[in-house]
Amino acid sequence: MWKIILILLLLFIKETQTKSIHDTIYQDIGGFTGMQLLNKNGDYGGTSGFDPLYGELYLIEEESDFEKLINDPPSKKLVLVLNAEFFSFSKYLDRLPNKITIAGVILLPGNKPGTGYSPEMTYPLKASSLHPESDYEWNSIGNGDLYKKYFFPILTFPLQGNFQFIKDMAKQNKRDLEFFEPRNGAVFDIFMQANEDSETCLRRKTCVPIGGQSVWGFIGGEYNKSKEYIMITTPLDTRSSFPYLSPGSEFPSSGIVALLSAIDGIISFANSNNATEFYSSLKRQIMFGFWDGESFGHIGSLKFINDVKYFDCKEWNDSSHSSCNQPFRYSMAFKDLDLSKLTEIIEPNQVGLYTGNPNNTYQSQLYTHYEKENFQSLVLAEKIMMVSINSLKIMNLSTVEYPSPHTPGIPPSSSESFVRKIKSDLPVVVLTDYPSQFSNAFYSSVFDDIFNIETQQIAGAASLLLRTVYMEATGCNPEEIPENLAVNETFIRDLMFCFSFTYYCQYFVDILGIPFNVPSSNYPGLFSDTNVPIRSKFLHDFITYLTLVQKSSEFPSCKSGYDCNSSENCIVGKCYPRIVYFHPSYSNNVEYDYKQKEYKVVESYFPDDLWVESDWKKIQIQVYQGNSKNVDILVFCVGIFLILLDCFMIKFFKLF
């Protein structure tokens, strides 16, 4: 019996020692990885394969390092450690010869590519645009890296991340090695299970639809079915080579913050007067919409329009039919909308970069994009210009110009869905900071960060939007717009910090109680009926709070949603009535089978590319310190010598 116990004890000690040695050699590193995404046409992005990939750290700091790698490639597998300016598949990585085996790529935050970098196409969302046949290049520097497949993983870090030690380890390898100097490497264990295309992986249950939650409602909280309404709207998401690190400062954050600031301005103006009387006196109501998933074929706006027109509830939640269990809709308020009463749309979209007169940086410059053959859109653009001209006498507002005559019409935007699917002659103006091609040199990339925008430019756009919407809703003339109708530039600056850098900021903490530092990301993520993205939850709760805070004493207190009834939300300790709504955002070509607990591909009135994200078993990236080949040979020789010495000693002692 004691022999068995001794054997088990020795095995336990061996396992413990092995784990201890492994943990000493290998060090887990954080960061954000590129994910494998798929649509109907194929799969894109990278994966480590079923087995982990090991490689030696190879630092590229200068152009000469890259040329040396091409001309004198090492024979070992490599993990490329790149300074930010060298991250481009089309310009750099695609040039590497086949004999170089890449185990992974680590992108170090730092200086951005000097000539810009956008991994999107030159005409983003072209298939779901109003001009699918156009050859125009809105995103002139787009290289399409997002739509490439590569057989190695990529990793990066947020600006506030701890990555310097990795660069130091790679620098060790870069120096001329001395005899006993170790070789440092990394191992990537990131096996993405999905392959082929989205329909195949959904059938195999190895992927989940991309999506989130759109946020919509009416300023003031109530929808009057007898009134016409205007819509102010903007996309809520973006993407990058590292989906969960998509700061999107210029796109979409500048548009989100401009729209939210205009909403705040109208609500503040109403609350400073008689809010009930103000909202009831409007000739046209004001609807707002923040559409999630727009970077994946306008799925947020198209889902909303599809549901308003065709939604069929298979299982109601209660007898009042206020919500639906299958397919899940937490509110059926969208079915009350009369789309024929929508009279116009104004959309702020990429309004954070200054492109005006370099000698006049105190005045922002905006452009009114509209459909060239739509006369009513031109009229709306002229009205916006009149608001700008009249308001310049009062405050430092944006100057407005027409876009370049060479553009096909409105640029990639959520408004396109409403023109395509509701009314082709619907008046639409998209406000931007560019006259023709995007001024954003980092569209849909990890480099579109908070340092890429100017708060004053966004404030100008928000002020112009606010005053235009007031004019259109009340029916007043431009000169009759109140002088005290304005936005708060400090509010805008703080919100940009929240949406572009970290959710651990004043407004998100006050409204949502964010307990720790969470880097901002505008990627929709994996769709779930029950999980609401942080940015969507904030918009929903914040607009509700702005609207009803003056009446907070009238509502019961709460600690969580369980303390409120089904038509209320617990926001900042109060059960506020539901006046702002979530709407699920995912492909119209997929439905969830609640009995089989799986997604199924279906036909749709509004077909799209059906974007999904691959499942994974685990994501683990580690760095390690390994011996050089010389040391390995030395250890081997010493081992052989010791074995021979042992044999000699045994033989020697047996003789004596």
Side-chain angles (χ1 to χ4, degrees):
M1 183 65 182
W2 65 270
K3 291 182 179 180
I4 296 175
I5 295 174
L6 181 61
I7 292 172
L8 292 174
L9 181 61
L10 290 173
L11 288 173
F12 173 77
I13 293 172
K14 180 179 181 297
E15 179 66 24
T16 303
Q17 288 179 334
T18 302
K19 187 176 186 303
S20 177
I21 293 171
H22 181 278
D23 292 345
T24 301
I25 296 174
Y26 292 89
Q27 178 181 351
D28 287 323
I29 57 177
F32 291 83
T33 62
M35 309 302 294
Q36 187 178 32
L37 306 183
L38 305 89
N39 63 17
K40 289 180 179 179
N41 301 316
D43 55 333
Y44 316 96
T47 175
S48 69
F50 186 78
D51 296 318
L53 293 176
Y54 293 79
E56 195 174 277
L57 298 178
Y58 190 99
L59 181 63
I60 296 180
E61 294 181 287
E62 303 171 349
E63 190 85 32
S64 58
D65 295 328
F66 191 81
E67 297 302 326
K68 180 181 178 182
L69 175 62
I70 293 176
N71 298 325
D72 186 21
S75 58
K76 292 183 177 181
K77 288 185 178 180
L78 302 178
V79 171
L80 301 183
V81 181
L82 304 177
N83 276 359
E85 58 265 38
F86 297 106
F87 183 72
S88 171
F89 284 90
S90 55
K91 187 175 181 180
Y92 291 105
L93 298 179
D94 286 349
R95 290 171 51 202
L96 295 177
N98 292 331
K99 59 183 176 181
I100 297 179
T101 305
I102 305 298
V105 172
I106 298 176
L107 175 65
L108 300 175
N111 295 329
K112 301 176 183 179
T115 57
Y117 173 71
S118 174
E120 251 294 354
M121 297 295 191
T122 55
Y123 196 139
L125 305 172
K126 183 176 178 178
S128 56
S129 74
L130 291 172
H131 306 279
E133 305 302 323
S134 173
D135 293 326
Y136 190 75
E137 295 186 351
W138 290 103
N139 183 31
S140 60
I141 63 171
N143 57 33
D145 279 355
L146 288 175
Y147 305 91
K148 293 182 179 179
K149 181 177 181 179
Y150 39 93
F151 298 95
F152 52 81
I154 58 176
L155 173 78
T156 193
F157 303 88
L159 287 171
Q160 63 270 43
N162 179 20
F163 53 85
Q164 184 59 43
F165 75 98
I166 297 176
K167 187 172 185 177
D168 292 340
M169 292 179 70
K171 275 187 174 180
Q172 270 190 312
N173 288 352
K174 190 177 180 181
R175 293 198 299 265
D176 291 331
L177 297 178
E178 297 179 3
F179 191 76
F180 294 107
E181 192 168 357
R183 279 287 191 180
N184 301 319
V187 54
F188 290 80
D189 193 358
I190 310 175
F191 175 50
M192 302 288 173
Q193 294 179 298
N195 53 36
E196 295 190 32
D197 55 59
S198 54
E199 294 185 2
T200 301
C201 70
L202 284 170
R203 187 172 63 251
R204 294 172 178 172
K205 300 181 182 180
T206 57
C207 60
V208 178
I210 291 172
Q213 295 287 342
S214 299
V215 178
W216 71 279
F218 283 83
I219 296 180
E222 295 184 8
Y223 170 50
N224 187 335
K225 297 181 182 179
S226 65
K227 281 189 175 182
E228 294 180 328
Y229 59 93
I230 63 178
M231 182 191 292
I232 48 178
T233 186
T234 197
L236 189 52
D237 69 292
T238 187
R239 57 186 301 195
S240 76
S241 302
F242 309 92
Y244 290 95
L245 187 63
S246 299
S249 292
E250 164 72 333
F251 178 79
S253 294
S254 66
I256 295 171
V257 171
L259 180 54
L260 186 55
S261 299
I263 294 171
D264 171 62
I266 294 172
I267 293 174
S268 297
F269 180 81
N271 289 343
S272 66
N273 298 280
N274 185 320
T276 303
E277 183 178 314
F278 172 76
Y279 293 128
S280 62
S281 68
L282 295 178
K283 293 184 178 180
R284 289 188 285 183
Q285 290 188 288
I286 308 167
M287 178 183 172
F288 59 84
F290 299 86
W291 310 115
D292 209 356
E294 294 295 272
S295 296
F296 296 90
H298 295 125
I299 59 175
S301 52
L302 288 175
K303 189 72 174 178
F304 182 78
I305 299 169
N306 181 80
D307 283 1
V308 172
K309 286 187 169 185
Y310 307 114
F311 183 77
D312 178 28
C313 182
K314 297 179 175 60
E315 180 182 309
W316 294 102
N317 187 41
D318 52 39
S319 59
S320 68
H321 292 189
S322 61
S323 61
C324 180
N325 275 342
Q326 295 187 24
F328 181 78
R329 298 291 184 273
Y330 96 115
S331 170
M332 294 296 294
F334 62 91
K335 290 300 290 182
D336 292 332
L337 275 181
D338 184 350
L339 294 176
S340 67
K341 291 186 179 297
L342 173 61
T343 61
E344 64 189 55
I345 299 176
I346 304 175
E347 176 176 339
N349 188 317
Q350 297 194 66
V351 293
L353 295 178
Y354 180 73
T355 56
N357 185 345
N359 298 319
N360 187 7
T361 57
Y362 297 100
Q363 190 174 80
S364 58
Q365 177 72 61
L366 292 173
Y367 300 89
T368 53
H369 295 264
Y370 59 92
E371 283 301 297
K372 302 297 174 57
E373 298 179 0
N374 187 330
F375 177 73
Q376 292 303 318
S377 290
L378 173 60
V379 171
L380 179 57
E382 290 177 342
K383 287 182 179 180
I384 294 173
M385 288 187 171
M386 290 303 297
V387 171
S388 173
I389 293 170
N390 279 273
S391 298
L392 280 171
K393 303 172 184 176
I394 303 166
M395 61 185 66
N396 193 23
L397 202 62
S398 297
T399 57
V400 179
E401 294 182 9
Y402 291 121
S404 165
H406 303 295
T407 66
I410 61 175
S413 55
S414 296
S415 299
E416 291 183 293
S417 298
F418 293 88
V419 176
R420 287 175 59 214
K421 301 300 182 181
I422 296 179
K423 190 164 57 174
S424 60
D425 60 350
L426 181 67
V428 169
V429 168
V430 179
L431 291 174
T432 76
D433 56 25
Y434 53 88
S436 52
Q437 296 173 326
F438 293 170
S439 54
N440 183 10
F442 304 105
Y443 181 83
S444 286
S445 85
V446 72
F447 305 116
D448 186 11
D449 55 34
I450 194 170
F451 305 106
N452 196 36
I453 52 90
E454 298 177 43
T455 301
Q456 194 171 37
Q457 171 77 15
I458 300 172
S463 296
L464 181 63
L465 177 64
L466 166 63
R467 298 175 73 80
T468 301
V469 168
Y470 179 90
M471 179 186 69
E472 291 296 276
T474 61
C476 72
N477 295 319
E479 60 271 13
E480 296 173 329
I481 300 173
E483 293 186 15
N484 62 339
L485 190 65
V487 298
N488 185 331
E489 190 168 332
T490 301
F491 174 70
I492 290 172
R493 184 183 63 247
D494 292 344
L495 279 180
M496 280 304 302
F497 180 78
C498 296
F499 278 98
S500 301
F501 193 69
T502 176
Y503 293 137
Y504 191 60
C505 60
Q506 176 191 342
Y507 287 106
F508 278 65
V509 170
D510 290 347
I511 298 297
L512 302 181
I514 300 294
F516 49 81
N517 189 8
V518 180
S520 305
S521 177
N522 287 295
Y523 173 64
L526 303 178
F527 176 74
S528 170
D529 283 328
T530 55
N531 292 331
V532 178
I534 293 176
R535 66 197 193 290
S536 298
K537 175 67 172 168
F538 172 76
L539 291 169
H540 174 279
D541 290 7
F542 186 66
I543 296 173
T544 301
Y545 178 78
L546 282 177
T547 306
L548 300 174
V549 66
Q550 285 193 333
K551 302 178 181 179
S552 61
S553 60
E554 301 175 13
F555 306 112
S557 299
C558 60
K559 292 184 178 179
S560 71
Y562 296 106
D563 298 329
C564 307
N565 64 42
S566 59
S567 63
E568 297 173 332
N569 296 107
C570 185
I571 300 172
V572 196
K574 291 289 183 177
C575 289
Y576 288 115
R578 189 171 294 160
I579 60 171
V580 181
Y581 305 98
F582 294 117
H583 199 86
S585 167
Y586 60 94
S587 171
N588 282 305
N589 283 115
V590 69
E591 283 185 0
Y592 188 70
D593 188 322
Y594 289 83
K595 292 182 179 179
Q596 299 295 325
K597 295 185 177 180
E598 64 182 13
Y599 288 99
K600 292 186 176 179
V601 179
V602 296
E603 296 295 323
S604 170
Y605 291 105
F606 301 159
D608 54 56
D609 285 337
L610 183 48
W611 281 94
V612 299
E613 182 182 310
S614 174
D615 284 342
W616 61 86
K617 285 297 183 183
K618 69 174 180 177
I619 292 181
Q620 186 176 43
I621 306 102
Q622 298 174 312
V623 291
Y624 61 87
Q625 191 175 60
N627 290 326
S628 68
K629 183 183 292 186
N630 292 332
V631 173
D632 291 337
I633 293 172
L634 178 62
V635 170
F636 176 77
C637 293
V638 171
I640 294 296
F641 173 77
L642 291 175
I643 291 172
L644 294 174
L645 181 63
D646 285 345
C647 293
F648 173 78
M649 294 298 291
I650 292 170
K651 209 66 166 163
F652 178 79
F653 284 114
K654 280 186 177 181
L655 291 175
F656 297 96

